[in-house]
């Protein structure tokens, strides 16, 4: 049972007496005397109640008396209600037989006394805080007194000197001493730190300084991260941010929905997205994505740390669980059988385009964006072997999105076309599209990153899910299939494949990157790479011809 807290008020002593209550001073402490109503004296076993107000200040005593008066009046009301049995029906009375009225009254009294004790504790705490403040003031006073006592002999000496030397100008001497002290402080005082730019300005300057090395996709990634950081931590001088800000950014980003940023039309703030994610119980953003945000911010802070515009990099030292939520696995034979038998029914991408893109992924292990960006000029014959050159693309005039680099330095490579693709009519497909700039002319640049693969990626994902192929088995899984098949072939004998051939064919950095090996990689004969391409073999049911038709 809990009594409601009384409204704060101040009673003057005459009004307290009219309420059968009186403030009485006993020794140095004020106490409250409250007369018990006549109808409750027998029940409570007392005629009056006394409470210490824990103060010697009369005005404070009045305020505290008011508070205890409210609780006491409420106590009397509850006791009176419990003692009145007229509202009980006979059945309820029977139920209450096992619990006497005295027990009920005792519980009420215990609750009342607990509230009074709670008030006393509050008063004692207030008094202790008051004493602490008095102690601090006293300590300050003693400190000043000690300084005066220490300085008094010197001051007396100065006054004595002034009496003996009438021409002594104490004011000028003190001014000279002050100037000397200021000069000394100027010598030993560390130089003031440079004023750092606001975060938004710092991001613009960083991107401008790195514009030649950064593509459009990277630049948008930095701006998106900066926008989210400002939404969470505000736009301040970059030097003023602390580890608390980076921690706050990490905590809120961990609560973001998994599909955040997928639509360019979504303009919701971080706070709105977090609230939506919690309300709808959506899957959360991956730790890898948050790590990417931190990597961008860390790069900005590192840039300004070298210029002494920040004191430390607040984005280093954080730990992330960068394991992918969904483990990417290879296609098994059953899934390949389903894919080979399924009817491609896209209205924007032809069956032929679909078939050859899948064929290049399944037999060459090329990345999807690499395939979708193949230009007709990238297909050339080297030593009588038709190859695809994966290399840097320079944009045509007024088409900056066409500029592109392979994923890594090793990604720039020569990929011979294997017999599986040639037998499926791939070279005829190439010849029929010679007039097109891109081999797969049906594809368009789309999305924030202006990728040619996005439209196909979305269509392929829906297609495979529709036919029961789970998440984790996707287009990139073909690359895992190719790597596994090639590495399972022994590297000994005439039919063996060297590890460096496989790495060069797939565009992997490779585990052994010694100087000699690097030179050898650059001089690998195209015949050896063609041997690698023709070594990718699937079960008989899986053929490019079947997929294309």
């Amino acid at each position: 049972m809990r009594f409601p807290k009384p409204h704060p008020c101040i009673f003057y002593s005459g009004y307290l007496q009219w309420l059968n209550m009186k403030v009485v001073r006993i020794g140095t402490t004020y106490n409250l005397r409250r007369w018990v109503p006549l109808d409750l004296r027998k029940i409570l076993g007392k005629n009056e109640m006394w409470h210490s107000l824990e103060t010697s200040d009369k005005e404070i005593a009045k305020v505290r008396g008011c508070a205890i008066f409210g609780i006491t009046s409420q106590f009397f009301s509850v006791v009176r209600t419990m003692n009145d049995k007229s509202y009980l029906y006979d059945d309820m009375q029977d139920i209450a037989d096992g619990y006497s009225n005295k027990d009920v009254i005792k519980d009420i009294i215990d609750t009342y006394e607990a509230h009074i004790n709670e008030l006393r504790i509050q008063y004692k705490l207030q008094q202790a805080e008051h004493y602490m403040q008095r102690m601090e003031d006293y300590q300050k006073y003693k400190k000043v007194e000690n300084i005066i006592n220490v300085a008094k002999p010197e001051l007396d000496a100065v006054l004595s000197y002034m009496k003996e030397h009438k021409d002594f100008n104490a004011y000028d001497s003190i001014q000279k001493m002050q100037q000397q002290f200021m000069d000394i402080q100027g010598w030993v005082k560390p130089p003031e730190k440079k004023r750092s730019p606001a975060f938004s300005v710092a991001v613009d300057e960083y991107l401008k300084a790195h514009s030649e090395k950064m593509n459009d996709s990277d630049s948008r990634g930095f701006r998106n991260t900066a926008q989210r950081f400002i939404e969470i931590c505000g736009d301040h001088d970059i030097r003023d941010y602390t580890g608390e800000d980076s921690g706050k950014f990490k905590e809120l980003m961990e609560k973001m929905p998994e599909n955040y940023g997928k639509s360019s039309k979504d303009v919701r703030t971080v706070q709105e997205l977090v609230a939506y994610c919690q309300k709808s119980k959506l899957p959360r953003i991956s730790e890898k994505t948050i790590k990417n945000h931190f990597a961008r911010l860390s790069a900005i802070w590192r840039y300004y740390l070298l210029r002494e515009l920040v004191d430390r990099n607040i984005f280093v030292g954080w730990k992330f669980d960068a394991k992918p939520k969904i483990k990417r696995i290879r296609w098994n034979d059953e899934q390949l059988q389903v894919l080979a038998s399924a009817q491609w029914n896209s209205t924007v991408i032809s069956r032929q385009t679909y078939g050859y893109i899948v064929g290049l992924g399944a037999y060459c292990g090329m990345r999807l964006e690499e395939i979708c960006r193949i230009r007709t000029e990238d297909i050339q014959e080297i030593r009588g072997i038709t190859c695809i050159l994966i290399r840097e693309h320079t944009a045509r005039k007024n088409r900056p999105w066409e500029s592109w680099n392979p994923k890594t330095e090793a990604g720039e490579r020569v990929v011979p076309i294997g017999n599986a693709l040639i037998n499926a009519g791939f070279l005829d497909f190439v010849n029929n599209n010679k007039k097109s700039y891109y081999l797969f002319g049906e594809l368009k640049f789309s999305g924030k990153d202006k990728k040619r693969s996005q439209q196909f990626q979305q269509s392929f994902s829906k297609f495979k899910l529709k036919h029961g192929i789970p998440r984790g088995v996707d287009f990139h899984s073909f690359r895992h299939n190719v790597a596994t098949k090639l590495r399972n072939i022994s590297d000994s004998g005439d039919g063996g494949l060297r590890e460096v051939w496989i790495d060069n064919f797939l565009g992997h950095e490779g585990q052994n990157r010694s100087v000699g090996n690097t030179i050898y990689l650059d001089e690998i004969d195209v015949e050896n790479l063609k041997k690698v391409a023709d070594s990718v073999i699937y079960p008989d049911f899986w053929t490019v011809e079947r997929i294309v038709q």
Side-chain angles (χ1 to χ4, degrees), residues 192 382 433 459 522 541:
E192 292 187 5
I382 302 174
N433 288 277
S459 298
D522 294 336
F541 66 80

Side-chain angles (χ1 to χ4, degrees), residues 373-387:
R373 282 186 179 264
I374 296 174
R375 302 168 298 184
T376 52
E377 66 183 68
D378 294 327
I379 300 176
Q380 298 181 15
E381 191 173 289
I382 302 174
R383 298 182 189 174
I385 299 173
T386 306
C387 302

Side-chain angles (χ1 to χ4, degrees), residues 466-482:
K466 179 182 176 182
H467 290 85
I469 297 170
R471 297 179 69 185
V473 181
D474 53 23
F475 190 89
H476 197 81
S477 298
F478 287 124
R479 187 169 170 82
H480 291 273
N481 282 69
V482 173

Side-chain angles (χ1 to χ4, degrees), residues 350-354 356-357 360 371-379 396 424-444 452 548:
S350 68
R351 174 87 184 184
Q352 195 176 42
T353 294
Y354 155 74
Y356 285 126
I357 289 177
L360 287 166
I371 297 171
C372 295
R373 282 186 179 264
I374 296 174
R375 302 168 298 184
T376 52
E377 66 183 68
D378 294 327
I379 300 176
R396 291 177 290 177
F426 180 68
L427 296 185
D428 293 333
F429 177 78
V430 172
N431 290 327
N432 292 335
N433 288 277
K434 280 290 186 182
K435 294 181 179 180
S436 175
Y437 184 73
Y438 286 103
L439 178 62
F440 299 105
E442 299 174 17
L443 305 179
K444 306 297 179 185
R452 284 184 63 81
V548 172

Side-chain angles (χ1 to χ4, degrees), residues 14 31 75 141 197 216 254 346 350 391 435 488 503:
N31 296 265
F75 165 66
Y141 163 75
D216 190 52
E254 286 173 343
S346 172
S350 68
R391 53 188 175 176
K435 294 181 179 180
N488 284 339
D503 288 336

Side-chain angles (χ1 to χ4, degrees), residues 13-28:
S13 59
Y15 188 52
L16 287 174
Q17 292 179 33
W18 180 73
L19 291 170
N20 295 326
M21 184 175 284
K22 186 175 182 180
V23 174
V24 180
R25 181 168 181 169
I26 300 176
T28 59

Side-chain angles (χ1 to χ4, degrees), residues 284-299:
R284 302 294 177 84
I285 196 172
S286 69
E287 289 279 305
K288 183 179 179 181
T289 302
I290 301 172
K291 185 179 180 181
N292 290 339
H293 284 299
F294 266 66
R296 295 184 189 111
L297 291 169
S298 179

